[in-house]
Amino acid sequence: MVSAPKFQEEYSAKLPALALLITLGWRFLPPSEALALRGGKQSAVVLDTLLRTELKKRRFTFEGQDHALSDQAIERLVSHVTHPDFVSGLRDANEKMTTHLLFGIAITEFINGRKANPTIALIDWQNPQNNSFTFTEEYSVLRTDLTQTRRPDIVCFVNGIPLAVIEAKRPDGQPGKGPTVEAGISQSIRNQNKDEIPQLFAYSQLLLSITGHDGRYGTCGTPKKFWASWKEEDIPESRMETLKNTPLSGAQKDALFADRKPPARIWFEDWASRPLHVSDQDRLLIGLLSPQR
Protein backbone atom coordinates (compact mmCIF):
# COMPACT_ATOMS: atom_id res chain seq x y z
CA MET A 1 0.00 0.00 0.00
CA VAL A 2 1.32 3.44 -0.91
CA SER A 3 1.85 5.65 2.11
CA ALA A 4 -0.01 8.94 2.33
CA PRO A 5 2.15 11.99 1.66
CA LYS A 6 3.79 13.49 4.73
CA PHE A 7 4.32 17.23 4.85
CA GLN A 8 6.49 17.50 7.95
CA GLU A 9 9.94 18.81 7.07
CA GLU A 10 11.49 15.53 8.24
CA TYR A 11 9.78 13.59 5.45
CA SER A 12 9.17 16.18 2.74
CA ALA A 13 12.57 17.87 2.68
CA LYS A 14 15.09 16.55 5.16
CA LEU A 15 15.18 12.78 4.59
CA PRO A 16 15.23 13.15 0.78
CA ALA A 17 18.12 15.63 1.16
CA LEU A 18 20.05 13.35 3.51
CA ALA A 19 19.63 10.39 1.14
CA LEU A 20 20.76 12.42 -1.88
CA LEU A 21 23.85 13.71 -0.06
CA ILE A 22 24.82 10.11 0.70
CA THR A 23 24.36 9.20 -2.96
CA LEU A 24 26.53 12.17 -3.98
CA GLY A 25 29.39 10.78 -1.90
CA TRP A 26 29.02 12.39 1.52
CA ARG A 27 29.23 10.18 4.63
CA PHE A 28 26.48 10.59 7.20
CA LEU A 29 27.49 11.17 10.82
CA PRO A 30 24.82 10.60 13.47
CA PRO A 31 24.60 13.67 15.75
CA SER A 32 26.19 11.76 18.63
CA GLU A 33 29.23 10.90 16.49
CA ALA A 34 29.53 14.46 15.22
CA LEU A 35 29.47 15.72 18.81
CA ALA A 36 32.23 13.29 19.79
CA LEU A 37 34.35 14.44 16.84
CA ARG A 38 34.26 18.01 18.19
CA GLY A 39 35.31 16.94 21.66
CA GLY A 40 31.80 16.82 23.08
CA LYS A 41 31.60 20.63 23.13
CA GLN A 42 28.52 22.35 21.69
CA SER A 43 30.48 25.60 21.59
CA ALA A 44 32.84 24.06 19.02
CA VAL A 45 31.79 23.88 15.38
CA VAL A 46 34.83 22.30 13.66
CA LEU A 47 35.17 18.51 13.82
CA ASP A 48 38.76 18.91 14.96
CA THR A 49 39.34 15.17 15.26
CA LEU A 50 38.63 14.79 11.53
CA LEU A 51 40.72 17.84 10.73
CA ARG A 52 43.72 16.36 12.55
CA THR A 53 43.31 13.09 10.65
CA GLU A 54 43.37 14.91 7.33
CA LEU A 55 46.32 17.12 8.26
CA LYS A 56 48.37 14.04 9.11
CA LYS A 57 48.17 13.16 5.41
CA ARG A 58 49.76 16.44 4.34
CA ARG A 59 53.33 16.54 3.08
CA PHE A 60 55.64 19.44 2.29
CA THR A 61 58.90 19.56 0.37
CA PHE A 62 62.06 20.93 1.96
CA GLU A 63 65.49 20.70 0.36
CA GLY A 64 64.22 18.19 -2.16
CA GLN A 65 62.63 15.79 0.33
CA ASP A 66 59.03 15.22 1.43
CA HIS A 67 58.20 15.59 5.09
CA ALA A 68 55.12 14.94 7.21
CA LEU A 69 53.86 17.62 9.57
CA SER A 70 55.02 17.44 13.16
CA ASP A 71 52.40 16.99 15.87
CA GLN A 72 53.14 20.51 17.06
CA ALA A 73 52.52 21.96 13.60
CA ILE A 74 49.23 20.08 13.32
CA GLU A 75 48.09 21.47 16.66
CA ARG A 76 49.03 25.00 15.61
CA LEU A 77 47.03 24.59 12.41
CA VAL A 78 44.01 23.20 14.25
CA SER A 79 44.18 26.06 16.76
CA HIS A 80 44.36 28.59 13.91
CA VAL A 81 41.34 27.08 12.18
CA THR A 82 39.24 26.71 15.32
CA HIS A 83 39.79 30.29 16.49
CA PRO A 84 38.51 32.57 13.70
CA ASP A 85 39.22 36.28 14.05
CA PHE A 86 35.99 38.08 14.97
CA VAL A 87 37.63 41.40 15.90
CA SER A 88 36.11 43.10 12.82
CA GLY A 89 32.90 41.07 12.71
CA LEU A 90 31.57 37.96 10.99
CA ARG A 91 32.02 39.05 7.40
CA ASP A 92 35.70 39.80 7.91
CA ALA A 93 36.17 36.53 9.81
CA ASN A 94 34.55 34.64 6.94
CA GLU A 95 36.72 36.38 4.35
CA LYS A 96 39.90 35.51 6.26
CA MET A 97 38.85 31.90 6.71
CA THR A 98 37.93 31.65 3.02
CA THR A 99 41.45 32.82 2.16
CA HIS A 100 42.88 30.06 4.36
CA LEU A 101 40.60 27.51 2.71
CA LEU A 102 41.68 28.60 -0.76
CA PHE A 103 45.40 29.14 -0.24
CA GLY A 104 46.35 27.28 2.95
CA ILE A 105 48.14 28.46 6.10
CA ALA A 106 51.87 29.14 6.41
CA ILE A 107 53.64 27.41 9.30
CA THR A 108 57.16 27.06 10.64
CA GLU A 109 58.86 23.68 10.91
CA PHE A 110 62.47 22.78 11.78
CA ILE A 111 64.10 20.01 9.76
CA ASN A 112 67.49 18.91 11.11
CA GLY A 113 67.87 22.29 12.74
CA ARG A 114 66.98 24.20 9.59
CA LYS A 115 63.91 26.42 9.35
CA ALA A 116 61.19 25.64 6.82
CA ASN A 117 58.08 27.75 6.13
CA PRO A 118 55.69 25.62 4.07
CA THR A 119 52.11 26.64 3.30
CA ILE A 120 49.77 23.80 4.21
CA ALA A 121 46.51 23.26 2.32
CA LEU A 122 43.41 22.66 4.43
CA ILE A 123 41.62 21.26 1.36
CA ASP A 124 43.14 19.36 -1.56
CA TRP A 125 41.49 21.22 -4.44
CA GLN A 126 43.27 19.24 -7.17
CA ASN A 127 42.25 15.80 -5.86
CA PRO A 128 38.72 15.81 -4.37
CA GLN A 129 39.10 12.15 -3.34
CA ASN A 130 41.88 13.16 -0.94
CA ASN A 131 39.40 15.00 1.26
CA SER A 132 36.87 13.90 3.85
CA PHE A 133 33.22 14.68 2.98
CA THR A 134 30.85 14.23 5.92
CA PHE A 135 27.56 15.66 7.08
CA THR A 136 25.27 15.50 10.06
CA GLU A 137 21.83 16.69 11.13
CA GLU A 138 20.42 18.65 14.06
CA TYR A 139 23.84 20.17 14.69
CA SER A 140 23.45 21.71 18.13
CA VAL A 141 25.60 24.82 18.58
CA LEU A 142 25.75 26.94 21.74
CA ARG A 143 24.80 30.58 21.22
CA THR A 144 27.43 33.19 22.02
CA ASP A 145 25.25 34.53 24.87
CA LEU A 146 25.45 31.00 26.37
CA THR A 147 21.67 30.96 26.99
CA GLN A 148 20.59 28.21 24.60
CA THR A 149 21.54 26.32 21.46
CA ARG A 150 20.51 26.53 17.81
CA ARG A 151 20.25 23.40 15.67
CA PRO A 152 20.74 23.84 11.93
CA ASP A 153 19.02 20.94 10.15
CA ILE A 154 22.02 19.78 8.09
CA VAL A 155 25.70 20.78 8.17
CA CYS A 156 28.23 19.54 5.60
CA PHE A 157 31.94 19.33 6.45
CA VAL A 158 35.03 19.06 4.27
CA ASN A 159 37.94 17.77 6.36
CA GLY A 160 35.91 18.56 9.46
CA ILE A 161 35.36 22.21 8.47
CA PRO A 162 31.66 23.23 8.20
CA LEU A 163 31.37 24.59 4.65
CA ALA A 164 27.60 24.29 4.05
CA VAL A 165 24.60 24.89 6.34
CA ILE A 166 21.14 23.76 5.24
CA GLU A 167 17.73 24.60 6.72
CA ALA A 168 14.88 22.26 5.73
CA LYS A 169 11.26 23.41 5.90
CA ARG A 170 7.94 21.76 5.11
CA PRO A 171 6.49 22.72 1.72
CA ASP A 172 3.03 23.76 2.95
CA GLY A 173 3.22 27.13 4.64
CA GLN A 174 0.88 28.43 7.31
CA PRO A 175 -2.03 30.68 6.30
CA GLY A 176 -1.05 34.32 6.08
CA LYS A 177 2.67 33.61 5.99
CA GLY A 178 5.10 33.69 3.09
CA PRO A 179 6.73 30.75 1.28
CA THR A 180 8.45 28.36 3.66
CA VAL A 181 11.69 28.62 1.71
CA GLU A 182 11.85 32.21 2.97
CA ALA A 183 11.44 30.97 6.55
CA GLY A 184 14.60 28.89 6.14
CA ILE A 185 16.43 31.90 4.72
CA SER A 186 15.31 34.09 7.63
CA GLN A 187 16.49 31.44 10.08
CA SER A 188 19.95 31.31 8.48
CA ILE A 189 20.22 35.10 8.52
CA ARG A 190 19.12 35.26 12.18
CA ASN A 191 21.67 32.61 13.19
CA GLN A 192 24.49 34.80 11.85
CA ASN A 193 23.75 37.55 14.41
CA LYS A 194 26.51 38.16 16.96
CA ASP A 195 24.38 36.87 19.88
CA GLU A 196 23.43 33.71 17.95
CA ILE A 197 25.87 31.19 16.40
CA PRO A 198 28.09 33.33 14.13
CA GLN A 199 31.04 31.01 14.87
CA LEU A 200 29.46 28.42 12.56
CA PHE A 201 29.21 30.90 9.70
CA ALA A 202 32.84 32.01 9.89
CA TYR A 203 33.56 28.93 7.74
CA SER A 204 30.42 28.64 5.61
CA GLN A 205 30.71 28.91 1.84
CA LEU A 206 27.15 27.88 1.02
CA LEU A 207 23.88 28.41 2.87
CA LEU A 208 20.78 26.60 1.60
CA SER A 209 17.07 26.68 2.36
CA ILE A 210 15.05 23.72 1.06
CA THR A 211 11.41 22.64 1.19
CA GLY A 212 11.32 19.31 -0.63
CA HIS A 213 10.34 20.75 -3.99
CA ASP A 214 12.06 24.15 -3.85
CA GLY A 215 15.40 25.55 -2.76
CA ARG A 216 17.47 28.74 -2.58
CA TYR A 217 21.10 29.44 -1.77
CA GLY A 218 23.20 32.29 -0.44
CA THR A 219 26.47 32.87 1.37
CA CYS A 220 27.55 34.49 4.62
CA GLY A 221 25.90 37.91 4.81
CA THR A 222 23.70 37.52 1.72
CA PRO A 223 20.49 39.60 2.17
CA LYS A 224 17.25 37.65 1.79
CA LYS A 225 16.34 39.26 -1.54
CA PHE A 226 19.55 37.98 -3.15
CA TRP A 227 19.16 34.29 -2.26
CA ALA A 228 18.76 32.51 -5.59
CA SER A 229 17.61 29.36 -7.33
CA TRP A 230 20.24 27.20 -9.00
CA LYS A 231 20.20 26.95 -12.81
CA GLU A 232 22.23 23.90 -13.85
CA GLU A 233 23.89 24.04 -17.28
CA ASP A 234 26.25 21.07 -17.30
CA ILE A 235 24.69 18.08 -15.53
CA PRO A 236 21.99 16.44 -17.71
CA GLU A 237 18.54 15.92 -16.24
CA SER A 238 18.91 12.20 -16.93
CA ARG A 239 22.00 12.11 -14.69
CA MET A 240 20.08 13.85 -11.94
CA GLU A 241 17.24 11.34 -12.25
CA THR A 242 19.75 8.51 -11.91
CA LEU A 243 21.24 10.05 -8.78
CA LYS A 244 17.81 10.69 -7.28
CA ASN A 245 16.78 7.06 -7.85
CA THR A 246 20.02 5.39 -6.74
CA PRO A 247 19.14 3.17 -3.75
CA LEU A 248 21.08 3.43 -0.52
CA SER A 249 22.92 0.38 0.73
CA GLY A 250 21.74 -1.44 3.82
CA ALA A 251 24.66 -0.05 5.82
CA GLN A 252 23.90 3.49 4.70
CA LYS A 253 20.27 3.14 5.74
CA ASP A 254 21.26 1.58 9.05
CA ALA A 255 23.40 4.64 9.82
CA LEU A 256 20.74 7.09 8.68
CA PHE A 257 17.96 5.50 10.73
CA ALA A 258 19.92 4.38 13.77
CA ASP A 259 18.51 7.21 15.91
CA ARG A 260 15.07 7.31 14.31
CA LYS A 261 11.90 5.45 15.21
CA PRO A 262 10.96 2.45 12.99
CA PRO A 263 8.04 4.21 11.22
CA ALA A 264 10.48 6.67 9.65
CA ARG A 265 12.41 3.88 7.96
CA ILE A 266 9.19 2.18 6.86
CA TRP A 267 8.06 5.42 5.24
CA PHE A 268 11.45 5.91 3.59
CA GLU A 269 11.57 2.36 2.18
CA ASP A 270 8.16 2.87 0.60
CA TRP A 271 9.03 6.35 -0.70
CA ALA A 272 12.33 5.17 -2.19
CA SER A 273 10.78 2.10 -3.84
CA ARG A 274 8.85 4.21 -6.35
CA PRO A 275 10.16 6.26 -9.31
CA LEU A 276 11.24 9.63 -7.92
CA HIS A 277 11.08 12.83 -9.91
CA VAL A 278 13.83 15.43 -9.71
CA SER A 279 12.79 18.54 -7.78
CA ASP A 280 14.36 21.99 -7.61
CA GLN A 281 15.67 20.94 -4.19
CA ASP A 282 17.50 18.05 -5.85
CA ARG A 283 18.89 20.28 -8.59
CA LEU A 284 20.20 22.68 -5.95
CA LEU A 285 21.88 19.93 -3.93
CA ILE A 286 23.38 18.17 -6.94
CA GLY A 287 24.53 21.41 -8.55
CA LEU A 288 26.17 22.89 -5.46
CA LEU A 289 27.13 19.97 -3.23
CA SER A 290 28.54 17.34 -5.57
CA PRO A 291 31.98 16.72 -4.00
CA GLN A 292 33.90 17.35 -7.24
CA ARG A 293 32.45 20.86 -7.23
Side-chain angles (χ1 to χ4, degrees), residues 44-285:
V45 297
V46 174
L47 306 182
D48 57 321
T49 301
L50 275 183
L51 179 57
R52 284 186 182 89
T53 298
E54 293 303 316
L55 289 175
K56 287 179 180 178
K57 301 176 185 177
R58 297 289 182 264
R59 299 291 183 271
F60 65 93
T61 301
F62 180 68
E63 295 185 340
Q65 292 186 328
D66 284 347
H67 299 273
L69 294 172
S70 66
D71 291 341
Q72 294 84 353
I74 289 174
E75 289 308 311
R76 289 197 299 270
L77 285 167
V78 170
S79 178
H80 199 117
V81 172
T82 55
H83 293 83
D85 181 3
F86 275 95
V87 172
S88 300
L90 173 58
R91 183 176 296 238
D92 186 62
N94 183 276
E95 289 179 357
K96 290 178 179 176
M97 192 58 66
T98 299
T99 298
H100 292 323
L101 292 170
L102 287 173
F103 303 112
I105 298 176
I107 62 165
T108 299
E109 287 273 51
F110 287 92
I111 309 297
N112 298 323
R114 296 175 63 82
K115 185 177 179 180
N117 295 106
T119 296
I120 306 302
L122 300 175
I123 296 174
D124 188 337
W125 297 104
Q126 283 69 44
N127 305 287
Q129 69 276 9
N130 289 343
N131 300 288
S132 164
F133 294 89
T134 58
F135 71 103
T136 192
E137 60 180 329
E138 300 300 321
Y139 196 58
S140 186
V141 179
L142 186 66
R143 289 177 57 184
T144 56
D145 62 10
L146 307 179
T147 59
Q148 61 185 142
T149 59
R150 296 296 187 194
R151 294 194 302 173
D153 290 315
I154 305 170
V155 179
C156 300
F157 305 84
V158 178
N159 299 340
I161 302 171
L163 296 193
V165 182
I166 305 172
E167 294 294 347
K169 298 297 177 185
R170 57 191 294 160
D172 57 327
Q174 298 179 13
K177 293 191 175 182
T180 56
V181 71
E182 293 188 2
I185 295 171
S186 296
Q187 196 165 314
S188 280
I189 293 174
R190 178 207 66 190
N191 285 345
Q192 296 174 56
N193 292 337
K194 63 181 180 180
D195 61 344
E196 291 286 342
I197 54 171
Q199 64 270 35
L200 178 62
F201 298 91
Y203 308 89
S204 61
Q205 302 301 303
L206 290 169
L207 308 178
L208 282 67
S209 175
I210 56 175
T211 66
H213 61 74
D214 195 8
R216 299 285 188 277
Y217 74 97
T219 59
C220 178
T222 301
K224 181 188 290 187
K225 65 180 180 179
F226 292 122
W227 283 57
S229 301
W230 178 255
K231 304 300 181 183
E232 180 57 49
E233 298 180 353
D234 297 319
I235 303 175
E237 191 77 2
S238 59
R239 173 59 180 161
M240 294 194 190
E241 289 179 2
T242 298
L243 289 168
K244 174 78 171 184
N245 288 277
T246 298
L248 301 186
S249 69
Q252 289 170 331
K253 286 185 283 190
D254 289 344
L256 185 57
F257 291 95
D259 295 334
R260 288 181 162 83
K261 294 181 179 179
R265 183 160 184 167
I266 293 172
W267 173 87
F268 180 84
E269 298 279 13
D270 176 72
W271 172 81
S273 69
R274 290 175 271 126
L276 301 172
H277 299 292
V278 177
S279 67
D280 283 343
Q281 169 176 308
D282 302 321
R283 295 183 182 93
L284 182 70
L285 293 172

